[in-house]
Amino acid sequence: MEEENLQLMKRLEKLKKTHDAVILAHNYQWGEVQDAADFVGDSLDLSQIAVEVEAKTIVFCGVHFMAESASLLAPEKAVILPEMLADCPLANMITVEQLREARKEYADASVVTYINSSAAVKAESDICCTSSNALAVVNSLEQDRVLFVPDANLAYHVSRQTDKEIIPWKGYCITHYRVTSAEVNWARKMYPDSPIIVHPECPPEVTAEADGVLSTGGMVKYASEAKAKRIIVGTEMGMLHRLQKENPQKEFLLLSNGLVCPNMKYTTLAKVVDALEKKENIITVPEDIRYKAAKAVQLMLDVSN
Ligand code: 13P
């Protein structure tokens, strides 16, 4: 480890004790941030850990909706987002007003809201989901029609595996939607023996061709169990750090050079230390919204457990 990072790690360890803090990092964070974290995981893992962990302070290395989800589930804890610019464009692709209008139009449908959304939108929803439990959440509902917001590609992926009618919202992840079937075909030709795993936020023609369509947590499991020596990975580049670290004998290649989430990349180890030192960027949710949003997320957790 570089000298500068070693010094930052020392400061971080002290600060964690002073503030009774834990560091949570999403699988897309820079390697240095993942290595400094107490827990690294996907959206579902991290929201469950936020509830269970005993610390008073959570430094959430991810994007805004993730820190917000932790805060609404664990309002007694101070949840810090090291970099306030770290937003998720997909989460902003539906507003409360738009969801209210859509609810009127599809009055007989249940509303399933992907965790990549604002707390205010979650509060208007029947239940939330993540990429790892979306199908189970949809199948747990009584209604036959589901308005699925805001990611259209995840909605489409779920619709291929359920008898329910899925009405997709038109949002998309600005990183995953760029992956093309030409890239999948090229990887197949170059590495015919290597499985291709992709995130369900990729376009339908990509998910249709992949060997596995998985949440980032699902990819961790797949990689440890797969017999293949090389795996092609169709999700944000930060994922490769964890996969490589946990499976040093295997090789992981990124399916597309474009798989970089600029928002996930804002958070550096220096910013983590700085935010905890100043105890700034604490994410809170107004109580009326928090209560309703937490209910929708809790219903999801009940399905997952
Ligand atoms: P996961 O829940 O699979 O980690 O996905 C999070 C995400 O934001 C994907 O873009």
Side-chain angles (χ1 to χ4, degrees):
M1 196 185 284
E2 285 170 35
E3 183 54 32
E4 194 187 330
N5 280 3
L6 274 175
Q7 293 306 325
L8 287 169
M9 284 295 291
K10 272 191 197 155
R11 274 172 65 200
L12 188 59
E13 285 311 313
K14 267 196 201 155
L15 288 166
K16 276 167 61 181
K17 285 198 187 100
T18 312
H19 296 287
D20 186 18
V22 289
I23 317 291
L24 308 194
H26 187 264
N27 289 319
Y28 294 160
Q29 290 289 292
W30 289 117
E32 63 178 28
V33 176
Q34 293 190 32
D35 292 345
D38 298 291
F39 302 95
V40 182
D42 68 7
S43 308
L44 180 63
D45 300 331
L46 296 178
S47 54
Q48 283 167 325
I49 291 165
V51 179
E52 288 158 14
V53 81
E54 270 181 16
K56 285 200 185 95
T57 309
I58 294 175
V59 183
F60 208 120
C61 307
V63 288
H64 187 272
F65 79 82
M66 295 181 175
E68 200 179 51
S69 300
S71 173
L72 62 90
L73 286 169
E76 72 290 356
K77 294 169 188 159
V79 180
I80 294 174
L81 182 67
E83 170 55 69
M84 289 303 271
L85 286 174
D87 209 353
C88 172
L90 167 61
N92 299 324
M93 288 185 190
I94 186 163
T95 63
V96 168
E97 293 69 30
Q98 286 172 320
L99 181 53
R100 284 185 185 156
E101 280 307 306
R103 253 198 190 283
K104 277 188 218 155
E105 195 177 339
Y106 303 105
D108 60 340
S110 279
V111 175
V112 174
T113 295
Y114 191 28
I115 196 102
N116 301 41
S117 55
S118 68
V121 164
K122 288 183 178 78
E124 300 280 326
S125 313
D126 294 313
I127 188 165
C128 289
C129 73
T130 70
S131 57
S132 65
N133 60 20
L135 180 63
V137 165
V138 163
N139 284 339
S140 76
L141 299 168
E142 273 175 24
Q143 282 82 350
D144 291 328
R145 292 186 102 195
V146 172
L147 176 60
F148 193 104
V149 306
D151 190 77
N153 290 336
L154 178 59
Y156 188 75
H157 177 63
V158 170
S159 76
R160 285 199 285 222
Q161 305 168 79
T162 183
D163 292 335
K164 310 247 185 216
E165 184 194 349
I166 307 287
I167 303 148
W169 191 253
K170 53 190 182 309
Y172 58 91
C173 163
I174 61 163
T175 301
H176 286 101
Y177 97 108
R178 290 201 216 112
V179 182
T180 64
S181 52
E183 286 166 323
V184 176
N185 294 339
W186 184 84
R188 282 262 185 252
K189 243 191 220 155
M190 289 295 288
Y191 308 105
D193 300 328
S194 304
I196 300 175
I197 54 175
V198 302
H199 197 273
E201 290 173 13
C202 289
E205 61 278 14
V206 170
T207 48
E209 292 293 319
D211 300 298
V213 182
L214 300 161
S215 67
T216 62
M219 289 181 181
V220 171
K221 189 162 180 280
Y222 183 100
S224 73
E225 290 169 0
K227 293 213 167 55
K229 287 264 173 296
R230 182 192 296 117
I231 298 173
I232 316 295
V233 181
T235 196
E236 211 278 336
M237 59 162 297
M239 188 75 237
L240 260 55
H241 176 80
R242 177 158 180 205
L243 294 177
Q244 202 62 74
K245 191 173 168 184
E246 292 183 10
N247 306 276
Q249 74 292 1
K250 294 178 187 169
E251 184 188 6
F252 298 93
L253 298 178
L254 206 58
L255 176 58
S256 162
N257 285 339
L259 281 164
V260 183
C261 170
N263 286 282
M264 282 283 178
K265 270 35 208 180
Y266 278 130
T267 306
T268 59
L269 186 53
K271 283 186 187 165
V272 174
V273 174
D274 198 45
L276 185 55
E277 197 157 55
K278 295 182 184 142
K279 230 171 159 211
E280 64 182 11
N281 303 348
I282 295 180
I283 305 299
T284 54
V285 182
E287 187 51 28
D288 52 334
I289 293 176
R290 192 201 70 76
Y291 178 77
K292 287 192 258 172
K295 205 166 147 201
V297 178
Q298 190 54 54
L299 284 171
M300 167 194 88
L301 294 177
D302 295 345
V303 171
S304 300
N305 290 330

